[in-house]
Amino acid sequence: MTTPLAPPTRIGKPAVVALGLLAAVTGVLESVVAPTLPLLQRELSMNPSQGALLSIAMLITGALVAPVAGNLGDRYGGKRVLIRLMTVVSAGGLVSSLAPNVPVLLLGQVLQGAMVGTLPLSIILVRKYLSSGESQVAIGVVSGLFIGGGMLGTLIAGPIAEGLSRHWMFAIPTFAVIVVTLCVQVLMPNDPPGRTDARIDWPGLALLSGVLLTLMLGLSMAPEVGSRPLVLGALVVLLAVLVAGWIVVERRSPAPMVDLRLLAKPAIWSSYVITFAVCVGTAVSMFLVPQLFSVSGDGYGFAAGSTDIGRYLLPGAVAAAVSGPLGGVASRRFGSTAVVTAGIGVMTATFAALAFVHTEVWHLVVAKALIALASGVCITAMVVKTATSVDHGDTGTATSLVLVTRVIGFAAGAQVSGAFLTAGTVSGVPAESAFVTGFVIAGVVTALSLLAVRTLSKGAKE
């Protein structure tokens, strides 16, 4: 086998900017469905079950694709896999923009879900071409722009859909994705492949996909757990069988999809635990705060419309956008452990305050901004910590699992929030106690992640 040429030691700022812009525009495309779901249901005559499936279609695909994309990037080169992945995403965006009915729109969303693999592939590239300190900042920039793009998409999707049409809210960010992908193709040098002689672990891939799919389906049923306990129980049993089978296969495989020895490192598994807990808490705030803005109860709520809610959430979107670069710079200067500890402390204190004080609009605006900032800083620090705790050849696999954990955490937080808010609804209006319970649960889950913070520095250097 011919040995590839060593890559250049550095890349220019335009290449890093192109990766950041790619993260931003994919974040926009990822987030346009959630705020416009009522409009899509109305125009396409979707029933509630179809609407629920549409809302999680990309999450399911992303959870399946991210570890595969990261692993292939480690083997065959980050840029090579990234360009092919964005071709699939662009096709999905075009299908969604032209979709005349629900099945075609679902197909487009399934293809778009491949975008979750963008971040681990970008991290592979910056780790190869930048120094350790520079790569931490670059990872923060790329992560932050992805989150910021998602927030921007949430804000602009409604006005575009109402002012132009639902087709344009997919088409505009898709065109941006195509243009920025071409810029990455031109500006980013080709990185050499890694383990090209290793075969793909197809049994491990199939079992891991089954694990993630079963887990996401189980989470999607959380609000109906009381009415369908047997189905949920069967999914739990199936999940346990799939996990056991996956562990056996990965232990015996000469080239496993995920090296279980990698997951056993304290710095790695603790990163996943913290990411899950932080994302659960963040998802609770993302679900409950807009609901509290819109509800009109006896002494609580503000009866705000969609435009006002979007305006109230704008500071949180700005905070999320700057959280990634801030997390990267802070991790470089103070270390990931200190950054995560501070972020979790801010989130826990904010949730505690929300449980007691939520009678003014500014209370929720400030709290949502603080949670978005602290959450973004924590997640970025976890991505940085994970990426720098493994060898270059494992960067894509390790960081992709952080993103999978993020997706699962968000899905779990949203579904649990929906479950107890539904349980606390009387005569069509959620009780104030349901919101208080949600904020308390989010604070407790986030605070418990501090138990895993102390293991972050074990087995890996900052």
Side-chain angles (χ1 to χ4, degrees), residues 28-373:
V28 172
L29 185 59
E30 180 196 45
S31 61
V32 296
V33 167
T36 58
L37 189 58
L39 180 147
L40 293 172
Q41 289 177 305
R42 187 169 59 251
E43 291 194 2
L44 296 174
S45 301
M46 284 190 286
N47 57 44
S49 61
Q50 289 175 323
L53 180 59
L54 182 65
S55 66
I56 65 172
M58 267 201 304
L59 292 177
I60 293 174
T61 306
L64 298 177
V65 168
V68 179
N71 186 274
L72 294 179
D74 287 333
R75 292 169 184 257
Y76 302 111
K79 179 184 173 181
R80 180 181 178 185
V81 179
L82 177 62
I83 298 301
R84 286 161 174 74
L85 196 70
M86 296 316 300
T87 302
V88 175
V89 173
S90 300
L94 293 175
V95 170
S96 296
S97 66
L98 299 173
N101 51 44
V102 176
V104 177
L105 181 57
L106 279 172
L107 173 61
Q109 292 299 290
V110 167
L111 294 174
Q112 282 180 222
M115 70 178 67
V116 179
T118 303
L119 188 55
L121 295 171
S122 299
I123 293 172
I124 289 173
L125 291 171
V126 298
R127 280 205 75 197
K128 284 184 178 180
Y129 290 107
L130 296 177
S131 66
S132 177
E134 290 173 325
S135 66
Q136 291 185 36
V137 177
I139 290 170
V141 170
V142 173
S143 301
L145 287 174
F146 181 78
I147 297 171
M151 293 293 180
L152 178 62
T154 301
L155 294 175
I156 67 174
I160 291 176
E162 293 174 354
L164 297 175
S165 74
R166 63 178 173 85
H167 303 284
W168 283 105
M169 75 177 188
F170 295 110
I172 292 174
T174 299
F175 292 147
V177 166
I178 294 172
V179 171
V180 179
T181 300
L182 292 175
C183 292
V184 172
Q185 171 68 22
V186 172
L187 296 172
M188 180 64 63
N190 293 316
D191 56 318
R195 299 165 292 172
T196 55
D197 56 334
R199 294 184 301 174
I200 296 177
D201 176 24
W202 293 112
L205 172 59
L207 287 169
L208 179 60
S209 299
V211 168
L212 295 173
L213 182 60
T214 304
L215 181 59
M216 295 298 290
L217 289 176
L219 290 174
S220 69
M221 293 179 56
E224 305 173 3
V225 62
S227 60
R228 303 165 72 178
L230 292 180
V231 176
L232 186 62
L235 284 176
V236 172
V237 173
L238 176 60
L239 179 63
V241 171
L242 289 172
V243 169
W246 177 68
I247 292 174
V248 171
V249 168
E250 295 300 88
R251 282 181 172 177
R252 295 180 178 179
S253 174
M257 190 73 193
V258 178
D259 190 342
L260 297 182
R261 293 172 299 178
L262 180 71
L263 299 184
K265 291 183 177 181
I268 301 301
W269 68 256
S270 59
S271 294
Y272 299 152
V273 170
I274 294 167
T275 299
F276 176 79
V278 168
C279 288
V280 167
T282 305
V284 171
S285 73
M286 292 174 65
F287 185 88
L288 292 185
V289 169
Q291 297 284 342
L292 190 52
F293 277 134
S294 65
V295 75
S296 180
D298 185 13
Y300 65 97
F302 304 95
S306 299
T307 302
D308 288 332
I309 292 175
R311 182 159 50 88
Y312 296 153
L313 296 178
L314 183 58
V318 175
V322 303
S323 65
L326 179 62
V329 172
S331 296
R332 179 182 181 181
R333 182 169 182 179
F334 303 108
S336 299
T337 302
V339 172
V340 172
T341 301
I344 292 174
V346 171
M347 289 184 67
T348 302
T350 303
F351 280 123
L354 269 177
F356 293 99
V357 183
H358 47 261
T359 55
E360 300 289 343
V361 168
W362 71 267
H363 295 162
L364 300 182
V365 171
V366 172
K368 185 67 178 67
L370 286 174
I371 292 170
L373 180 65

Side-chain angles (χ1 to χ4, degrees), residues 288 351 354-356 358 420 431-442:
L288 292 185
F351 280 123
L354 269 177
F356 293 99
H358 47 261
F420 60 69
E432 183 179 11
S433 60
F435 292 100
V436 173
T437 301
F439 293 138
V440 170
I441 290 175

